Amino acid sequence: MYRPTWAEIDLDALVSNLRYAEQSVHPKKIIPVIKADAYGHGAIEVMKHLEKKGINLFAVSLLEEALALREVSDTSDILMMGPLLSDQFEICQKHRIQFTVYDETIAKEVLTYPKPLAFHLKVDTGMHRYGLEDEDMIISWMKDIHQSPHDLVGIYTHFATANSQDQLFHEQVSKMEALIKKLPYLPRVVHVSNSSASLRYESHITYTTHTRLGISLYGLSLDQDQLGLTPVMKLKSKVVEIKRLKAGETVGYGGSYRAYEDEEWIAILPIGYADGWIRRNKTGKVEINGELYPMVGIICMDACFVRVDQSVRVGDTVTLFGGKISLDDVAKRLSTISYEVVCGMSKRIPRIYQREE
Ligand SMILES: Cc1ncc(COP(=O)(O)O)c(C=O)c1O
């Protein structure tokens, strides 16, 4: 690491969030959702650490993501939740990737595939993204699968409104329950809840064995009341240059910030929009030596500017989020959700893993 800009990933916080969620879902088990490089936290490190803590089933979205995990783990089960094509059955079979049967075409195609495959069936109970809807079709397909060499490991659905738990959420819970009662047999893994539903509702659901935990594993939540979670990622940089401006002088592209007094001090940080520190962050503040200072000017590809005072020195550490400014503050500033902020931290930012246990 040459450039002093990095993301700290606190693996102890990750485990503490896992344990916190486990209390809510007990005795059911958690499937960590580590797609999108574990929401920007680093899927391989997250997986390896959680394997040591007893987890052996992980969920991702893409086949590429699943194969990258398989390269580092021989033993864990890997569920791929995104879509696939039938010409990818072979690679799933070879690398023991449990894929998702999410529509009627794939459901029919697995039946004609000669070698044994392992998969989960996804049911669409109201999200209307991926999943089979027709109950009669599901039941007769499951009977056919039972006679085939294949292994229907799991069945699942996904909630559209888990964090508001409105009418649609309750309809989805009931629809899945009604279907489960009609199935000719139960696969060994049944999972419906994401983070919000795991933490707030799973204890009311009787028919599941697992839950899928994504955002809350990383210490984040759309719910205001999840105070037991600890954010896992902190974004840090260092002041690499300080400019002294006179009144009227401007900073950066477009000269959009103009000093309004003599002796203004502008700190330069080596982080910009190519790192995921997008231009709309320009209205925010950052933390240096426990104080908050405003960003000024336009954020460049590799750098940004902060108006500081004379106490700030080259080499001082800057916390962009994960200290006095939370990741949720950044998400709010950008009119988005924490998911998008963490996933948007680019590969240029090295992840530094911290653990005591
Ligand atoms: C199918 C599925 N399950 C689980 C999750 C995890 O959701 P969350 O991060 O809200 O826990 C996602 C995330 O988008 C998903 O697409």
Side-chain angles (χ1 to χ4, degrees):
M1 177 178 142
Y2 299 104
R3 173 179 64 145
T5 290
W6 68 99
E8 283 173 13
I9 309 293
D10 180 350
L11 292 172
D12 298 327
L14 185 88
V15 175
S16 141
N17 297 328
L18 174 78
R19 300 297 182 224
Y20 174 76
E22 277 173 346
Q23 286 171 10
S24 305
V25 309
H26 182 80
K28 302 165 191 182
K29 292 195 174 151
I30 284 178
I31 308 171
V33 178
I34 57 171
K35 61 181 174 163
D37 207 17
Y39 294 34
H41 293 69
I44 287 177
E45 286 78 3
V46 165
M47 179 195 212
K48 280 185 175 161
H49 197 65
L50 293 182
E51 279 184 327
K52 285 189 222 143
K53 307 290 170 190
I55 302 287
N56 57 14
L57 169 57
F58 295 86
V60 291
S61 189
L62 315 181
L63 187 49
E64 286 83 347
E65 294 172 336
L67 293 170
L69 296 183
R70 180 54 79 222
E71 271 187 30
V72 296
S73 172
D74 235 9
T75 50
S76 282
D77 287 333
I78 301 167
L79 163 63
M80 177 200 157
M81 300 187 294
L84 90 167
L85 300 170
S86 56
D87 62 5
Q88 296 159 355
F89 288 163
E90 178 142 9
I91 191 157
C92 289
Q93 206 255 346
K94 183 167 167 218
H95 296 280
R96 291 172 289 118
I97 306 299
Q98 298 176 5
F99 59 87
T100 295
V101 172
Y102 62 93
D103 73 7
E104 293 192 11
T105 309
I106 290 290
K108 284 185 188 132
E109 282 167 338
V110 289
L111 280 170
T112 60
Y113 191 75
K115 290 191 237 165
L117 296 168
F119 38 76
H120 294 227
L121 171 67
K122 186 161 191 182
V123 182
D124 183 358
T125 52
M127 170 85 173
H128 297 130
R129 189 172 62 178
Y130 302 120
L132 277 95
E133 279 184 71
D134 182 338
E135 288 193 351
D136 293 337
M137 193 259 152
I138 291 171
I139 291 165
S140 85
W141 176 82
M142 278 182 67
K143 288 180 185 160
D144 292 341
I145 289 294
H146 204 54
Q147 309 299 321
S148 78
H150 306 311
D151 181 11
L152 177 60
V153 179
I155 182 164
Y156 72 104
T157 192
H158 189 46
F159 297 130
T161 53
N163 66 309
S164 56
Q165 293 183 6
D166 58 359
Q167 194 188 340
L168 174 57
F169 172 78
H170 292 287
E171 277 167 20
Q172 288 196 264
V173 173
S174 316
K175 216 168 179 181
M176 191 67 175
E177 183 166 18
L179 173 69
I180 294 277
K181 285 186 181 145
K182 289 186 208 155
L183 296 181
Y185 56 95
L186 256 191
R188 44 191 193 282
V189 186
V190 181
H191 46 115
V192 297
S193 289
N194 66 348
S195 291
S196 272
S198 295
L199 296 179
R200 297 170 65 198
Y201 199 80
E202 188 63 29
S203 55
H204 301 286
I205 301 177
T206 52
Y207 53 83
T208 50
T209 61
H210 288 65
T211 78
R212 301 184 304 277
L213 195 73
I215 199 73
S216 293
L217 183 62
Y218 311 107
L220 304 165
S221 176
L222 292 180
D223 310 319
Q224 303 307 317
D225 55 350
Q226 290 305 340
L227 303 176
L229 298 171
T230 311
V232 172
M233 186 191 287
K234 292 187 169 86
L235 181 62
K236 300 210 171 168
S237 188
K238 284 194 181 216
V239 174
V240 287
E241 184 71 272
I242 294 184
K243 293 280 179 187
R244 181 177 162 180
L245 260 59
K246 295 198 202 86
E249 288 182 329
T250 62
V251 169
Y253 290 122
S256 70
Y257 176 74
R258 186 178 296 274
Y260 47 89
E261 49 190 61
D262 279 330
E263 293 249 328
E264 273 196 32
W265 301 91
I266 303 293
I268 321 290
L269 313 185
I271 178 168
Y273 61 78
D275 301 296
W277 193 243
I278 61 171
R279 283 159 49 113
R280 278 190 295 118
N281 276 302
K282 71 176 184 184
T283 55
K285 289 185 174 165
V286 298
E287 180 184 342
I288 308 175
N289 304 327
E291 297 293 324
L292 296 183
Y293 295 99
M295 315 236 335
V296 293
I298 286 176
I299 295 178
C300 315
M301 192 182 294
D302 319 293
C304 63
F305 308 98
V306 182
R307 185 172 188 265
V308 293
D309 54 36
Q310 279 201 60
S311 70
V312 173
R313 298 271 176 273
V314 167
D316 283 353
T317 298
V318 183
T319 305
L320 294 103
F321 61 71
K324 286 190 168 165
I325 311 255
S326 69
L327 218 145
D328 281 329
D329 293 333
V330 175
K332 210 175 197 180
R333 175 201 295 161
L334 300 174
S335 314
T336 184
I337 51 174
S338 53
Y339 296 65
E340 196 178 20
V341 179
V342 274
C343 290
M345 290 298 117
S346 88
K347 292 268 183 282
R348 288 218 308 187
I349 298 185
R351 272 60 171 175
I352 309 291
Y353 293 90
Q354 301 176 323
R355 73 179 70 106
E356 273 173 23
E357 282 176 35

